[in-house]
Amino acid sequence: MRNPILVTGGTGTLGRVVVQRLLDAGRDVRVLSRRPRSAAAGHEWATGDLRTGDGVDAATSGVDAIVHCATTLNKEDVAATQRLVDSARRSGDPHLVFISIVGIDRVPLPYYRAKLEVEERVVGSELPWTILRTTQFHDLVVRMITAQRWSPVIGVPAGVDYQPIDVREVAERLVELAVGAPAGRVPDMGGPEIRSHRDLARAYLAATGRRRIVLPVPLPGAVVTAFRRGGHLAPEQAVGRVTFDEFLAEQGR
Ligand SMILES: NC(=O)c1ccc[n+]([C@@H]2O[C@H](COP(=O)([O-])OP(=O)(O)OC[C@H]3O[C@@H](n4cnc5c(N)ncnc54)[C@H](OP(=O)(O)O)[C@@H]3O)[C@@H](O)[C@H]2O)c1
């Protein structure tokens, strides 16, 4: 008999889609979330917090695999993941699948440094593991642009490109990996097109009928320099199919 697959962050942008894809594939799913069970959830639910460890043992108990999509969005991710790993080891030998980001070893952003350390914890976990790195999700690009929606001018870092990918394609790959044998670090996944931040902002404005000035701003610093050099891009792995324009059109934005 097959045991459930635990999805940490199963309420998030990526995790929600992973959960649905696993259910579609006929797998039992358990979600770990800090929130109480959602009334609409047609699967198991474990309320818990990776920051404190509360509820984590109940979440990892008896699972075949863990798709680790939760993030605290800061360096606490390292301790949170270690808590998950320790709990998973107490529970048995589940396959730990981790979603990471292309270029975390090239762009010196504090969040990326933490992510790299999380990867190291996964590799050193003594659990069977798989790590997939992807480029930025379309949703994140939209969030970066809409963060300035009240301003008549949208500032974008000059010379920075993105290669956004559709979260459904990432979820599809994670599900394939989670139900398969542990594969270690698998090839990176990048979106289908590399476009400037300015161009993506303009595409968003055109698709949503908004009129704003998009202003490229030359920004100093090692992080922006690394982004300008394309450290976060995967031009050789442009395997995503859904373009940013198609994503916007589908969302009715
Ligand atoms: N966004 C991108 O462009 C991108 C690109 C490549 C890789 N990734 C990686 O993909 C993963 C998912 O990203 P996302 O954009 O889907 O994230 P998200 O929408 O921000 O979701 C974060 C999830 O983490 C959970 N979470 C946060 N703190 C937690 C805690 N203390 N204990 C338990 N759960 C906690 C949240 O669940 P509750 O609020 O329900 O507790 C939520 O479901 C992240 O690791 C991210 O780094 C993202």
Side-chain angles (χ1 to χ4, degrees):
M1 220 183 72
R2 295 190 303 189
N3 295 312
I5 294 180
L6 173 67
V7 183
T8 74
T11 56
T13 307
L14 171 65
R16 274 196 305 264
V17 190
V18 171
V19 167
Q20 193 52 55
R21 296 271 161 149
L22 284 167
L23 292 171
D24 293 346
R27 295 303 304 247
D28 290 334
V29 175
R30 184 181 301 157
V31 163
L32 169 66
S33 165
R34 291 164 298 175
R35 311 171 206 189
R37 182 193 179 89
S38 139
H43 48 74
E44 293 182 35
W45 192 277
T47 299
D49 191 333
L50 288 167
R51 270 195 186 126
T52 62
D54 288 347
V56 177
D57 282 351
T60 59
S61 166
V63 295
D64 276 349
I66 300 173
V67 186
H68 183 28
C69 299
T71 178
T72 61
L73 289 171
N74 56 29
K75 64 180 189 324
E76 282 185 80
D77 261 348
V78 179
T81 300
Q82 190 60 52
R83 243 167 244 124
L84 180 71
V85 162
D86 293 344
S87 174
R89 290 191 58 197
R90 285 192 293 273
S91 87
D93 200 27
H95 177 194
L96 179 58
V97 180
F98 180 57
I99 174 69
S100 189
I101 308 172
V102 167
I104 53 173
D105 43 0
R106 295 190 290 256
V107 178
L109 197 65
Y111 179 57
Y112 283 14
R113 289 201 167 122
K115 203 90 188 160
L116 196 56
E117 212 180 321
V118 171
E119 282 193 359
E120 285 161 12
R121 300 297 176 104
V122 170
V123 173
S125 67
E126 295 181 21
L127 293 167
W129 60 272
T130 301
I131 294 175
L132 170 68
R133 291 185 184 178
T134 76
T135 54
Q136 283 64 45
F137 305 156
H138 292 316
D139 312 72
L140 180 64
V141 172
V142 167
R143 277 208 300 277
M144 291 192 293
I145 298 162
T146 54
Q148 301 179 65
R149 65 187 170 281
W150 307 117
S151 165
V153 176
I154 297 192
V156 295
V160 172
D161 295 338
Y162 285 98
Q163 188 182 355
I165 189 163
D166 195 287
V167 91
R168 291 166 295 186
E169 293 173 336
V170 177
E172 190 179 310
R173 177 74 173 128
L174 281 177
V175 166
E176 180 184 44
L177 293 168
V179 302
R185 168 96 187 271
V186 297
D188 296 349
M189 264 184 99
E193 307 172 309
I194 296 177
R195 295 172 70 178
S196 70
H197 196 148
R198 178 172 65 171
D199 194 24
L200 292 163
R202 284 183 172 158
Y204 173 81
L205 293 171
T208 55
R210 291 178 169 84
R211 293 170 73 88
R212 300 280 193 286
I213 296 162
V214 179
L215 183 68
V217 184
L219 294 173
V223 170
V224 179
T225 301
F227 275 117
R228 261 201 307 271
R229 288 187 181 139
H232 58 306
L233 304 176
E236 311 298 324
Q237 297 292 338
V239 293
R241 298 176 303 273
V242 180
T243 66
F244 188 62
D245 291 338
E246 287 166 349
F247 167 80
L248 291 174
E250 262 186 60
Q251 306 271 312
R253 293 185 191 265

